[in-house]
């Protein structure tokens, strides 16, 4: 059984962040773009660049892919959804909740990360984790909840690949999304965790710990898909197109995202 860490979050679990508004009315008119938690730092930079280049603004709503999809099914007024996987978005498209199937905008990776001072090594091969489990020295270890977070699914697949999934159960703490799992992994209250490469690369996180990539063959590819929702307006359409422009692609690259094959 999972043991789940929960923290109180102000407001809802899906945190809407209004960006770059010059007036209350401008912010109200800006479309809400829902984005997977692993995009937290990259998408904020892209939104700033979009505003600077076009004079148009978007508001960002971050959360786990599964929770965002649930909110869309419940009628949340998002105009664009950038998911952390393909299946969730393709299921929404099949149910007629998006304009079409959209497209893959990036491929994500996972890393093992340990906070400064941890007795666990940030070892992408998971050898240090195996030794800590075998020696009974492992404390808590954080991942995103695989029930609704694709990066939690990838973490579970990697741990299963190395035969560690069953043994690590008593030590697992679950983040509501991969951003929260990152907070847990770097809090000093855990020995580390498996999180998104993009979050490990964020300047505010890099100085708090050490990380190493997990072999991508150990989990299903994290092909991240985006699509416009049925009610999308021209600004959301412009932001969708902007995600495929050189400026956005360069920002994604800096945060460790690979482009889709063929691009």
């Amino acid at each position: 059984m999972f043991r789940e860490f929960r923290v109180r979050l102000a407001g809802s679990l899906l945190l809407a962040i209004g960006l770059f508004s010059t007036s209350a009315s401008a912010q109200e008119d800006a479309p809400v773009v829902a984005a997977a938690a692993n995009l937290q730092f990259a998408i904020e930079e892209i939104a700033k660049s979009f505003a600077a280049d076009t004079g148009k603004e978007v508001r960002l709503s971050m959360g786990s892919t599964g929770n965002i999809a649930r909110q869309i099914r419940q009628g949340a007024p998002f105009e664009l959804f950038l998911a952390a996987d393909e299946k969730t978005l393709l299921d929404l498209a099949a149910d007629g909740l998006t304009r079409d199937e959209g497209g893959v905008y990036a491929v994500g990776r996972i890393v093992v990360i340990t906070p400064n001072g941890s007795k666990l090594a940030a070892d992408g091969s998971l050898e240090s984790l195996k030794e800590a489990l075998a020696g009974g020295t492992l404390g808590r270890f954080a991942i995103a909840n695989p029930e609704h977070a694709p990066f939690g699914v990838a973490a579970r697949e990697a741990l299963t690949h190395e035969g560690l999934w069953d043994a690590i159960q008593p030590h697992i703490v679950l983040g509501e999304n991969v951003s929260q799992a990152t907070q847990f992994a770097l809090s000093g209250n855990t020995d580390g965790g498996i999180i998104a490469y993009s979050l490990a690369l964020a300047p505010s996180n890099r100085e708090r710990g050490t990380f190493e990539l997990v072999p991508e063959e150990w989990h299903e590819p994290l092909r991240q898909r985006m699509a416009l929702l049925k009610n999308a307006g021209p600004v959301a359409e412009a932001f969708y197109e902007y995600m495929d422009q050189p400026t956005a692609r360069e920002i994604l690259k800096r945060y460790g995202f690979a482009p889709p094959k063929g691009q």
Side-chain angles (χ1 to χ4, degrees), residues 1-2 14 19-20 30 43 53 64 74 100 124 137 141 143 161 172 187 210 226 251:
M1 295 291 291
F2 294 129
L14 194 61
L19 298 177
F20 327 119
I43 201 67
D53 289 347
S64 72
Q74 293 170 350
D100 52 30
T137 62
F141 191 80
I143 67 171
H161 184 277
I172 288 286
S187 67
T210 307
M226 63 179 176
I251 293 170

Side-chain angles (χ1 to χ4, degrees), residues 187-204:
S187 67
N189 295 319
T190 69
D191 289 335
I194 296 178
I195 66 165
Y197 187 27
S198 57
L199 298 182
L201 287 172
S204 58

